[in-house]
Amino acid sequence: VVTADPPAQAVDKTDWQAFAGDYQLLPSGWTFHVVLRDGELYGGRDPKDLRRMIPMAPNAFVRAGTLGEWIFVQARDGKPAQILNLRKFEPLVWTKVT
């Protein structure tokens, strides 16, 4: 499969600061780190090798150079609670731990 990153969409970035933090595959799985740097979100399992998260919608992203979509899901209080990572075979649910 040859992929190309989609073009970033112009979206509202109001909630992006709240998206930053650590998310984990529970009960004791991998951790996915999300940081806000220079007005852009970056994410990855290795904090030293984070990739830009390209916005498709205010809460939906594609990680640069990778397949799959990342959708931030908010709790009833409006705070980010999980990331739904849509993958080829099975979606992964990452739960915010910080």
Side-chain angles (χ1 to χ4, degrees):
V1 174
V2 177
T3 64
D5 291 336
Q9 302 300 304
V11 300
D12 180 5
K13 298 180 179 185
T14 303
D15 293 332
W16 286 15
Q17 179 63 43
F19 293 163
D22 292 335
Y23 297 79
Q24 190 173 44
L25 292 175
L26 296 179
S28 59
W30 292 322
T31 299
F32 186 82
H33 309 279
V34 177
V35 299
L36 183 63
R37 183 185 310 147
D38 300 324
E40 300 293 334
L41 286 175
Y42 291 81
R45 290 190 1 229
D46 181 351
K48 296 175 186 168
D49 186 29
L50 302 178
R51 293 181 182 228
R52 180 172 173 247
M53 298 185 76
I54 301 167
M56 301 290 98
N59 69 324
F61 301 83
V62 174
R63 283 184 61 229
T66 66
L67 297 173
E69 293 79 27
W70 297 78
I71 301 170
F72 288 85
V73 179
Q74 295 174 313
R76 290 181 187 226
D77 63 5
K79 295 180 182 176
Q82 297 177 321
I83 301 174
L84 178 60
N85 176 210
L86 302 176
R87 300 163 31 110
K88 185 175 180 180
F89 297 108
E90 182 177 349
L92 295 178
V93 178
W94 300 80
T95 301
K96 193 163 189 181
V97 292
T98 58

